[in-house]
């Protein structure tokens, strides 16, 4: 991975009064500042339509740190210093003339902090505006600079392959691919970045990491929240576009990729792209055999009654948008042929949990060891959230018995150790972008292949070729999802914190 000291630079943040900036971006910038990971000479210019002054903007950032910061604004002096780097400009994003004000403020800030024109344009705004803003930046000469320029864009990147391609063409007519940083915040998560190290720095995993030894892979990202205030957006996206097209497929690529030839950005991304190329695409009529979609109904979460999806604000009373997807994927290459990758993601499930479980095949002739019926397969679990860590489940003899086998966990919890407070994904990603390292951002070919995989599934959903199962809020999704694994002779293993435990052993693993 490239390691370069960070150049003095400006971050021009579009969507400065929005939710993402408040919840994630200001806290991330401030944490980087506190950790000494921003360049000494930097400036942050907030851009939005609201007619705010610099003071109002600084107050807004301060409030955001108080509410969401990893480091609270506990050190007055540090905050005072940091806040001097913050300015605000009100811009009508659709109106190119309005950008002149931004040019004036930016030039002034660059002169004040002696920044040689290095500019990050961060678009935390509605994707419909990505193209317009890019053109307006160009037309108002904001891209003519002696330094470098980078564009950071948030998801969703299009609604399907066609719209993503159109959007990409627009952006590419202004920025080069190397200048574009497409965010998938899952790639900034500590344990997702750790997958490469776990796989490629441990000699006992790599030889087993294939269809000879792995029975299946299970990737879960469950949430307890519903759609909250995002009904309008979610109605158009559903879980498939909101989570599967990006985060879930990115986790699949990290687990399935071949070792890169070099530890360099493009070499790593090339390997991820190869996985997406090998991902089996389902013809529309066959989607029902591989994909289960669900929608939450009323139910109970953490002891409280919650509404069904169709009762949420901004949601149509007869909506058929899915809030849950589980699927069986196949990567048709030499390493993975025949190994199902089960993925599931949903809202209003019992726990917030992101976890990858690798189930290994059982050894031949294990009947002898299974005479008491409790031999279980080896599992490797990579816990991404809320607990960060790994555990490995193996079988040993229960002490003092005549060969009774007992599964035990080898458990490593990273964020259980006092003092370990992993940086937020956005902290890492912002830092990488300032450094010019795009390894953990998605390249256009990744995005386009992910859409090509997802499009026939959305078509099947839209054409009513798959049933929409309802599930009670607070449950693990439709029964059909359990049956999908059951038909293959497998089951979903419990993820961290899961309470529906079938055996004493599971209870032990979840508690531990
Ligand atoms: C976002 C989705 O990309 O990821 C949200 O738009 C979802 O709907 C979120 O809640 C989940 O992210 P995390 O980091 O909380 O697992």
């Amino acid at each position: 991975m490239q390691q370069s000291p960070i150049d003095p630079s400006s971050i021009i943040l579009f969507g400065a009064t929005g939710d993402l900036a408040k919840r994630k971006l200001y806290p991330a910038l401030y944490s980087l500042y506190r950790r000494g990971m921003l360049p000494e000479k930097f400036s942050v210019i907030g851009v939005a339509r609201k007619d705010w002054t610099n003071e109002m903007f600084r107050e807004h950032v301060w409030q955001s740190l108080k509410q969401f910061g990893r480091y609270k604004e506990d050190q007055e002096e540090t905050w005072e210093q940091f806040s001097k780097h913050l300015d605000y400009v009100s811009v009508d994003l659709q109106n190119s003339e309005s950008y002149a004000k931004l040019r004036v403020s930016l030039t002034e800030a660059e002169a004040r902090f002696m920044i040689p024109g290095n500019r990050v344009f961060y678009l935390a705004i509605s994707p419909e505006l990505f193209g317009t803003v890019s053109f307006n930046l160009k037309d108002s000469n904001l891209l003519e600079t002696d330094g470098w320029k980078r564009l950071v864009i948030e998801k969703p990147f299009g609604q399907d392959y066609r719209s993503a391609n159109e959007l990409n063409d627009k952006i590419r007519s202004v920025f080069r691919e190397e200048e574009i940083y497409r965010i998938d915040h899952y790639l900034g998560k500590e344990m997702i970045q750790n997958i490469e190290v776990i796989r490629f720095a441990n000699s006992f995993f790599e030889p087993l990491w294939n269809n000879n030894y792995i029975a299946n892979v299970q990737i879960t990202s469950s949430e307890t929240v519903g759609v909250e205030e995002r009904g309008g957006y979610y109605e158009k996206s559903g879980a498939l576009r909101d989570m599967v097209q990006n985060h879930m497929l990115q986790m699949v690529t990290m687990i399935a990729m071949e070792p890169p030839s070099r530890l360099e950005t493009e070499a790593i991304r090339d390997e991820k792209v190869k996985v997406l190329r090998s991902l089996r695409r389902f013809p529309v009529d066959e989607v029902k055999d591989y994909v289960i979609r669900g929608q939450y109904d009323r139910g109970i979460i953490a002891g409280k009654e919650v509404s069904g999806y169709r009762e949420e604000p901004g949601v149509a009373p007869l909506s058929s948008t899915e809030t849950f997807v589980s699927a069986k994927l196949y990567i048709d290459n030499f390493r993975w042929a025949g190994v199902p990758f089960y993925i599931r993601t949903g809202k209003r499930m019992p726990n917030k949990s992101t976890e990858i479980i690798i189930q290994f095949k059982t050894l031949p002739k294990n009947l002898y060891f299974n005479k008491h019926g409790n031999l279980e397969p080896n599992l490797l679990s990579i816990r991404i959230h809320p607990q960060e860590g790994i555990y490995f489940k193996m079988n040993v003899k229960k002490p003092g018995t005549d060969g009774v086998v007992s599964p035990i966990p080898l458990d490593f919890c990273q964020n259980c150790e006092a003092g370990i407070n992993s940086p937020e994904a956005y902290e890492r990603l912002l830092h990488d972008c300032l450094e010019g390292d795009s390894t953990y951002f998605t390249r256009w070919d990744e995005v386009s292949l992910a859409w090509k995989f997802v499009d026939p599934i959305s078509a099947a959903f839209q054409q009513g070729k798959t049933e929409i199962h309802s599930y009670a809020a607070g449950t693990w999704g439709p029964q059909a999802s359990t049956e999908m694994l059951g038909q293959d002779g497998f089951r979903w293993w419990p993820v961290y914190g899961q309470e529906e435990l079938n055996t004493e052993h599971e209870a032990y693993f979840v508690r531990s």
Side-chain angles (χ1 to χ4, degrees):
M1 244 160 280
Q2 296 114 351
Q3 281 295 322
S4 59
I6 297 185
D7 301 321
S9 32
S10 304
I11 300 158
I12 301 109
L13 181 54
F14 289 79
T17 57
D19 208 46
L20 179 74
K22 183 162 130 198
R23 284 173 185 272
K24 301 286 183 191
L25 304 180
Y26 301 134
L29 280 168
Y30 187 63
S31 299
L32 288 174
Y33 183 73
R34 282 283 304 262
R35 294 165 63 208
M37 295 177 80
L38 284 185
E40 205 185 314
K41 297 170 183 166
F42 76 98
S43 96
V44 176
I45 302 195
V47 179
R49 184 191 272 271
K50 284 185 184 147
D51 199 11
W52 281 4
T53 59
N54 283 346
E55 285 64 41
M56 288 162 84
F57 176 55
R58 288 173 191 165
E59 174 60 26
H60 177 78
V61 175
W62 163 273
Q63 292 300 335
S64 112
L65 302 181
K66 260 191 175 161
Q67 222 181 328
F68 302 107
R70 191 156 76 88
Y71 295 99
K72 304 294 174 201
E73 61 333 317
D74 52 350
Q75 296 182 357
E76 284 276 331
E77 227 177 276
T78 321
W79 159 253
E80 280 300 319
Q81 288 304 324
F82 177 74
S83 69
K84 287 186 188 146
H85 295 258
L86 309 178
D87 290 308
Y88 180 83
V89 192
S90 156
V91 175
D92 172 0
L93 299 185
Q94 310 262 19
N95 175 358
S96 61
E97 282 160 27
S98 172
Y99 288 64
K101 281 192 281 176
L102 173 58
R103 205 176 54 241
V104 172
S105 294
L106 180 57
T107 317
E108 189 279 317
E110 287 178 345
R112 187 164 22 122
F113 295 108
M114 294 187 291
I115 298 170
N118 299 318
R119 299 171 180 173
V120 173
F121 297 95
Y122 196 123
L123 308 192
I125 51 175
S126 160
E128 287 92 67
L129 290 167
F130 291 166
T132 312
V133 171
S134 306
F135 290 136
N136 285 340
L137 287 174
K138 186 176 177 207
D139 292 346
S140 48
N141 297 333
L142 277 151
L143 305 182
E144 271 165 36
T145 161
D146 293 336
W148 46 252
K149 54 186 191 307
R150 292 174 192 149
L151 178 75
V152 183
I153 38 184
E154 281 288 336
K155 69 175 256 280
F157 197 87
Q159 273 289 304
D160 49 20
Y161 172 70
R162 193 189 49 75
S163 57
N165 197 28
E166 273 171 24
L167 172 59
N168 197 52
D169 283 348
K170 286 187 193 157
I171 294 172
R172 286 292 305 279
S173 68
V174 179
F175 291 91
R176 287 180 288 126
E177 175 64 32
E178 314 80 81
E179 294 173 331
I180 303 173
Y181 290 69
R182 297 179 194 82
I183 294 242
D184 182 315
H185 78 277
Y186 268 50
L187 291 179
K189 290 182 191 265
E190 181 66 42
M191 286 307 293
I192 292 201
Q193 298 194 352
N194 208 340
I195 293 174
E196 277 177 272
V197 181
I198 294 169
R199 286 192 52 199
F200 303 134
N202 291 301
S203 47
F204 48 84
F205 285 136
E206 193 44 31
L208 306 182
W209 211 259
N210 55 52
N211 52 8
N212 289 328
Y213 296 98
I214 291 181
N216 71 72
V217 176
Q218 306 184 4
I219 306 183
T220 299
S221 185
S222 60
E223 296 186 87
T224 52
V225 291
V227 284
E228 317 283 286
E229 304 306 315
R230 298 163 77 218
Y233 152 77
Y234 202 83
E235 275 284 89
K236 284 190 250 136
S237 83
L240 183 68
R241 294 185 173 104
D242 188 48
M243 293 290 293
V244 176
Q245 189 270 346
N246 36 72
H247 311 320
M248 302 303 286
L249 288 184
Q250 283 295 328
M251 288 193 274
V252 170
T253 61
M254 298 295 284
I255 291 293
M257 68 189 260
E258 293 297 316
S261 52
R262 282 156 285 124
L263 215 49
E264 285 173 9
T265 305
E266 297 314 329
I268 294 172
R269 288 160 131 197
D270 287 347
E271 295 307 332
K272 289 170 66 195
V273 163
K274 284 188 205 159
V275 175
L276 291 166
R277 283 210 189 103
S278 308
L279 193 59
R280 187 183 302 173
R281 293 198 195 143
F282 311 127
V284 176
D285 287 327
E286 287 176 26
V287 166
K288 60 176 185 339
D289 302 330
Y290 296 93
V291 183
I292 306 293
R293 63 172 170 152
Q295 186 188 68
Y296 65 81
D297 203 347
R298 289 181 189 179
I300 309 240
I301 301 244
K304 272 206 200 126
E305 213 173 303
V306 296
S307 319
Y309 176 69
R310 293 178 180 182
E311 300 162 318
E312 302 278 18
V315 172
L318 292 177
S319 169
S320 60
T321 301
E322 76 289 351
T323 60
F324 172 97
V325 170
S326 69
K328 173 161 62 165
L329 315 185
Y330 283 101
I331 298 161
D332 291 324
N333 64 14
F334 203 74
R335 187 189 282 262
W336 293 113
V339 179
F341 279 63
Y342 301 108
I343 60 169
R344 65 174 165 173
T345 180
K347 301 234 180 242
R348 287 288 190 225
M349 295 175 76
N351 296 102
K352 169 85 181 152
S353 187
T354 305
E355 186 160 337
I356 302 173
I357 298 180
I358 319 283
Q359 177 177 336
F360 290 87
K361 289 186 175 168
T362 39
L363 290 173
K365 292 216 181 222
N366 67 14
L367 283 180
Y368 170 76
F369 297 103
N370 201 21
K371 59 185 176 188
H372 298 276
N374 49 0
L375 183 77
E376 295 205 351
N378 291 133
L379 301 180
L380 168 70
S381 168
I382 302 178
R383 287 174 164 167
I384 293 155
H385 185 87
Q387 207 191 64
E388 289 177 6
I390 47 178
Y391 83 67
F392 190 64
K393 180 159 133 179
M394 59 187 286
N395 293 303
V396 296
K397 175 175 156 297
K398 195 169 186 175
T401 61
D402 173 22
V404 175
V405 172
S406 173
I408 53 131
L410 298 179
D411 200 349
F412 163 66
C413 171
Q414 180 159 281
N415 59 354
C416 296
E417 273 178 50
I420 297 208
N421 179 3
S422 301
E424 272 271 332
Y426 275 94
E427 248 170 275
R428 255 191 233 100
L429 294 174
L430 270 166
H431 185 258
D432 285 358
C433 171
L434 287 165
E435 266 197 326
D437 182 350
S438 51
T439 311
Y440 293 113
F441 294 82
T442 50
R443 205 167 64 184
W444 165 242
D445 45 0
E446 291 178 68
V447 178
S448 68
L449 286 163
W451 277 125
K452 285 181 180 167
F453 169 76
V454 158
D455 278 355
I457 304 178
S458 344
F461 287 3
Q462 269 152 29
Q463 294 164 23
K465 296 205 168 185
T466 63
E467 193 181 334
I468 173 125
H469 302 270
S470 115
Y471 62 98
T475 64
W476 285 94
Q479 181 60 19
S481 163
T482 309
E483 285 162 10
M484 178 171 69
L485 273 72
Q487 283 156 8
D488 298 342
F490 298 128
R491 45 170 301 211
W492 289 107
W493 293 102
V495 293
Y496 177 76
Q498 185 168 341
E499 277 167 19
E500 272 172 45
L501 306 171
N502 297 333
T503 66
E504 212 185 298
H505 303 304
E506 284 172 14
Y508 178 74
F509 285 106
V510 171
R511 276 197 306 271
S512 57

